Amino acid sequence: MTSDVDQARTTEVELAITGMTCASCAMRIEKKLNKLDGVTATVNYATEKAKVTYPAGIEPRRLIEQVEAAGYSAAVPAPAKSADLGEPREEADPIAPLRQRLIGSAVLSVPVILLAMVPALQFTYWQWISLTLAAPVLVWAAWPFHKAAWANLRHGAATMDTLISMGTLAAFLWSLYALLFGTAGTPGMTHPFELTVQRMAGDGNIYLEVAAGVTTFILAGRYFEARSKRRAGAALRALLELGAKDVAVLRDGGEVRIPVDQLAVGDEFVVRPGEKIATDGVITEGSSAVDASMLTGESVPVEVGPGDAVVGATVNAGGRLVVRATRVGADTQLAQMAKLVEDAQTGKAQVQRLADRVSAVFVPVVIALSAGTLMFWLGAGGSVAAAFTAAVAVLIIACPCALGLATPTALLVGTGRGAQLGILIKGPEVLESTRAVDTVVLDKTGTVTTGQMSLVAVHVADGVDTEETLRLAGALEDASEHPIAQAIARSARERVGELPSVEGFANVEGLGVQGIVDGKAVLAGRSALLEEWAHHLPEALAEVKAAEEKEGRTAVVVGWDGKARAVLVVADTVKPTSAEAITQLRALGLTPVLLTGDNEAVARAVAAEVGITEVIAEVLPKDKVDVVKRLQGEGKVVAMVGDGVNDAAALAQADLGLAMGTGTDVAIEASDLTLVRGDLRAAVDAIRLSRRTLRTIKGNLFWAFAYNVAALPLAAAGLLNPMIAGAAMAFSSVFVVTNSLRLKGFRGTAS
């Protein structure tokens, strides 16, 4: 017996499923797995994967046996190795057998359809040639449908394959009967091709074009569906292929070239200019600029040196680097990004569950309706041929392939497009949250602002040169490691160029710094430091300093040659695109709220700059969750955008959590959506893309339903030839796939 401890511990595994042919198959496997004690399974027909959470007492082999008991095959996929992420191998192409069946079926079916449609081509014994051509189509090309139908029958289930198999076999067997025992096999027999079914002698007509044509049309639909799945998953494959394939590792004083998957944590490896960094690590030697645009979207390379962390798959744009590996394989940032995309495509939204439930009920109902149609026509005095043809048309037209495709294809394309735009959607259920969101809570530091101190203003006393002030203050502050000092030094270097050296530098704790620059005794820091040296601030500068501090900014006083001569103002600057993003969020019907632990003055100043009216300031990290809960208690559906560890709990509490990819791993884990770029406009794109994907899913479901509901009465009334019904059914599947692929054209405002 499984212990309570075992039950409490759960493991997650992803099974690769084979043998599924429709959404109903996926639902049957899911039901079978969920019957096991403590097992929670989600099966996705589009990705052919099952995501299973199971207690420690159950062996993975048991899960595979359960899938096999449902009539399908399952396996635990081998972990992908970095070295295998290159060009896909030809033999691994999963759609090649399907393509072969489609081509063979089309070549054999076209003559059969032409002979049936064009009476002028109906030469003596044409019907026997049709039989010879149609037989391989029904036996070989349609074999996957018959195989699946038989497996389902053995397990007491009916799926869309049951409909296809029954419809085509019925048409073929009836034709065989008419040829062998009826009048259809007599030399010189002809019959016209018509869109409507007329009452006629059943044994004088053949429906080989139905068996061959429907098989070809459905194979075409399945082929385009399979191709769309591969195209939609291209973003994930492209993401995986970004990594380096091999690496030069330092061993025994020399370099050894090895495949990336053999790299271990702690190994030191060399990255030359122009090469990709093999894995996440820390630089131990050398300095360079690294192009991280793949991860951050930033086009400007980042300067790095010893001690700096670097990410795998980014490109070394400058000098030679030696890097010590800190994360390899599935732990790297690239692998985690790929996992996020794949998880999003393996999950299942409520809207998809609806389609699955409908499919499970729909198939038995249609079979009953087909039988009812046959009985009605026979009971109403119609010919066997008319009754049979109407019944087959019902089976064919009802096949809800489009229904099964409606959700997975849109999710695959939507999440794939999101990955290309730097928007990683953690799960498809996230899409449903975006529809209802009406309030967006924004963390200030690192989300609306850059999170980095910058010099925003230089106020000088009368007769003092601004450039000289920056040169002297910048040189002095450059010797300090304080973030504010570094902000001043960085801005000074940008404005006046190279800074002079400092002599006699000293850090006066809590007050500021002092030193000799170009023979001048320079002081920089609080007013108290300068007053100790009798450097009194002129009245005009004192007023400016007070005004800046009232706005929540940091004022640094600078003096030399016995006088206080300038006030340098440092602040966390607003990102250039934040105001535009706030306008776009409002346009989506969202109310922005600024949430920060900073003081009220700073928060109000930032809010005014970007156009936010509602501000909640001086909030402790644990109180951020309470703010989100309070807003939810007021009936609001809340989205939260943040980037820090202190935002993680609030991101998890919010109805929709969006983490800046430039933030911490904790924030990213807690969120529903990850925005790879640090641009707030990416949050707008994420919500727009999610809503558009959801709209596409609903549009697909509507058209799939409308199509079946509208066509079934026509088929039952005998107004549709079964072959035309098959063509229309295949067209509806292609329509759904094409409609989903339109999402690939989604354009982001931040891209």
Side-chain angles (χ1 to χ4, degrees):
M1 183 183 277
T2 307
S3 71
D4 292 339
V5 176
D6 280 349
Q7 285 285 0
R9 292 204 319 271
T10 59
T11 312
E12 190 171 270
V13 70
E14 199 170 64
L15 300 177
I17 309 287
T18 50
M20 287 195 299
T21 54
C22 62
S24 301
C25 301
M27 190 167 187
R28 277 194 44 232
I29 297 167
E30 197 172 291
K31 269 185 175 173
K32 199 84 174 167
L33 284 168
N34 286 332
K35 279 182 182 172
L36 291 173
D37 244 4
V39 170
T40 308
T42 303
V43 181
N44 188 292
Y45 166 53
T47 55
E48 296 179 331
K49 284 182 181 172
K51 199 171 181 180
V52 190
T53 305
Y54 61 96
I58 291 180
E59 291 292 319
R61 180 69 227 159
R62 179 93 186 278
L63 302 174
I64 291 169
E65 284 167 1
Q66 196 78 348
V67 174
E68 287 169 350
Y72 305 90
S73 301
V76 179
K81 292 184 178 180
S82 306
D84 296 335
L85 299 175
E87 290 299 311
R89 291 177 290 234
E90 189 59 37
E91 63 267 26
D93 183 1
I95 63 173
L98 188 55
R99 184 166 55 242
Q100 288 162 6
R101 283 184 199 275
L102 174 60
I103 292 168
S105 179
V107 168
L108 294 169
S109 298
V110 168
V112 177
I113 295 166
L114 284 174
L115 286 170
M117 287 177 66
V118 186
L121 298 176
Q122 293 170 4
F123 53 86
T124 311
Y125 301 118
W126 69 273
Q127 65 271 47
W128 296 99
I129 298 295
S130 289
L131 177 67
T132 308
L133 293 171
V137 174
L138 192 85
V139 175
W140 169 70
W143 175 246
F145 308 135
H146 305 321
K147 185 182 170 187
W150 175 245
N152 293 330
L153 190 63
R154 279 180 22 239
H155 294 90
T159 68
M160 288 175 274
D161 287 298
T162 311
L163 291 182
I164 298 163
S165 183
M166 281 179 65
T168 53
L169 277 173
F172 183 80
L173 293 173
W174 182 267
S175 301
L176 201 58
Y177 168 80
L179 285 168
L180 296 175
F181 304 107
T183 58
T186 57
M189 185 279 287
T190 62
H191 65 69
F193 172 81
E194 294 177 351
L195 295 184
T196 55
V197 176
Q198 296 178 349
R199 300 179 183 220
M200 59 189 79
D203 60 359
N205 294 278
I206 57 173
Y207 295 96
L208 293 169
E209 79 277 9
V210 173
V214 165
T215 300
T216 303
F217 285 131
I218 292 171
L219 280 172
R222 292 267 169 104
Y223 173 71
F224 289 119
E225 171 201 343
R227 237 182 54 164
S228 80
K229 285 198 290 188
R230 282 182 66 73
R231 284 175 64 190
L236 176 59
R237 288 194 298 278
L239 199 60
L240 291 172
E241 285 164 16
L242 286 170
K245 304 296 178 286
D246 54 21
V247 58
V249 181
L250 291 177
R251 293 210 175 134
D252 302 324
E255 290 182 25
V256 182
R257 206 97 194 158
I258 62 166
V260 165
D261 62 303
Q262 292 178 18
L263 200 59
V265 171
D267 280 348
E268 290 198 343
F269 59 92
V270 176
V271 189
R272 291 184 172 77
E275 285 186 341
K276 286 179 182 175
I277 295 170
T279 193
D280 299 0
V282 174
I283 295 171
T284 58
E285 190 184 310
S287 58
S288 178
V290 171
D291 179 1
S293 56
M294 181 277 293
L295 287 175
T296 65
E298 293 293 331
S299 55
V300 181
V302 181
E303 294 294 331
V304 291
D308 288 336
V310 287
V311 177
T314 53
V315 180
N316 177 13
R320 178 183 183 273
L321 296 174
V322 176
V323 180
R324 186 179 70 254
T326 55
R327 291 192 289 194
V328 296
D331 297 328
T332 64
Q333 196 167 332
L334 178 69
Q336 285 169 0
M337 283 174 69
K339 183 83 170 68
L340 279 176
V341 178
E342 192 165 15
D343 285 352
Q345 295 176 344
T346 307
K348 188 178 290 190
Q350 290 173 11
V351 73
Q352 183 174 349
R353 293 188 186 280
L354 170 67
D356 290 346
R357 284 199 302 271
V358 170
S359 294
V361 175
F362 193 72
V363 176
V365 167
V366 165
I367 291 171
L369 181 61
S370 176
T373 301
L374 182 68
M375 299 300 182
F376 171 79
W377 276 71
L378 291 173
S383 69
V384 176
F388 159 77
T389 309
V392 171
V394 168
L395 286 177
I396 303 302
I397 199 78
C399 182
C401 291
L403 203 59
L405 288 174
T407 303
T409 52
L411 283 176
L412 281 165
V413 183
T415 52
R417 181 65 185 136
Q420 289 172 339
L421 292 171
I423 301 161
L424 304 178
I425 302 171
K426 272 198 179 171
E429 60 282 352
V430 170
L431 304 179
E432 306 205 28
S433 308
T434 62
R435 175 187 49 180
V437 165
D438 54 23
T439 304
V440 57
V441 175
L442 303 161
D443 169 54
K444 180 185 76 71
T445 309
T447 302
V448 176
T449 65
T450 60
Q452 258 195 336
M453 289 293 190
S454 297
L455 181 65
V456 294
V458 180
H459 302 284
V460 293
D462 291 340
V464 176
D465 181 59
T466 302
E467 280 203 12
E468 187 186 10
T469 302
L470 284 172
R471 206 167 61 82
L472 296 173
L476 182 63
E477 297 283 30
D478 197 30
S480 169
E481 292 178 357
H482 193 282
I484 291 174
Q486 284 301 303
I488 293 171
R490 190 169 55 247
S491 293
R493 193 175 283 106
E494 285 168 7
R495 295 194 203 181
V496 300
E498 277 304 303
L499 301 173
S501 56
V502 183
E503 296 169 20
F505 175 82
N507 184 14
V508 184
E509 197 169 338
L511 291 177
V513 289
Q514 60 191 47
I516 310 295
V517 181
D518 284 351
K520 296 182 172 70
V522 185
L523 301 168
R526 297 178 185 272
S527 300
L529 173 66
L530 279 80
E531 280 166 6
E532 279 183 12
W533 291 81
H535 289 34
H536 301 293
L537 204 58
E539 192 178 334
L541 285 181
E543 287 173 6
V544 165
K545 178 176 175 290
E548 293 285 9
E549 286 175 340
K550 194 176 177 185
E551 289 291 320
R553 293 170 175 175
T554 302
V556 176
V557 183
V558 182
W560 65 90
D561 288 349
K563 289 183 181 177
R565 299 174 183 268
V567 172
L568 307 183
V569 183
V570 176
D572 178 8
T573 53
V574 170
K575 290 178 182 176
T577 56
S578 290
E580 184 188 340
I582 299 302
T583 306
Q584 290 170 351
L585 286 169
R586 287 190 190 280
L588 289 173
L590 304 174
T591 304
V593 177
L594 189 69
L595 180 65
T596 180
D598 262 2
N599 68 60
E600 187 86 20
V602 173
R604 292 276 170 202
V606 169
E609 193 173 337
V610 296
I612 297 176
T613 51
E614 197 172 334
V615 178
I616 303 169
E618 298 175 24
V619 177
L620 295 172
K622 64 183 179 65
D623 297 332
K624 288 190 175 184
V625 182
D626 297 332
V627 170
V628 172
K629 282 183 180 172
R630 177 171 60 77
L631 290 168
Q632 288 170 329
E634 292 168 8
K636 291 172 180 170
V637 182
V638 181
M640 167 82 190
V641 188
D643 75 326
V645 175
N646 62 343
D647 301 318
L651 286 166
Q653 174 63 38
D655 299 285
L656 180 69
L658 297 95
M660 291 292 192
T662 49
T664 63
D665 289 347
V666 181
I668 290 167
E669 266 311 303
S671 68
D672 301 306
L673 287 157
T674 301
L675 313 171
V676 175
R677 294 185 303 278
D679 188 337
L680 191 55
R681 290 177 303 174
V684 180
D685 288 344
I687 292 170
R688 280 179 54 237
L689 176 62
S690 298
R691 287 182 176 180
R692 187 159 155 198
T693 304
L694 191 62
R695 268 202 314 275
T696 302
I697 291 170
K698 294 197 162 181
N700 285 349
L701 285 172
F702 171 79
W703 286 112
F705 267 119
Y707 160 80
N708 282 309
V709 170
L712 273 174
L714 292 174
L719 297 174
L720 284 176
N721 179 292
M723 194 183 69
I724 302 301
M729 188 276 303
F731 172 76
S732 80
S733 293
V734 173
F735 168 80
V736 162
V737 170
T738 309
N739 190 42
S740 298
L741 286 170
R742 287 171 56 228
L743 284 167
K744 291 188 80 157
F746 177 85
R747 293 269 172 260
T749 54
S751 54

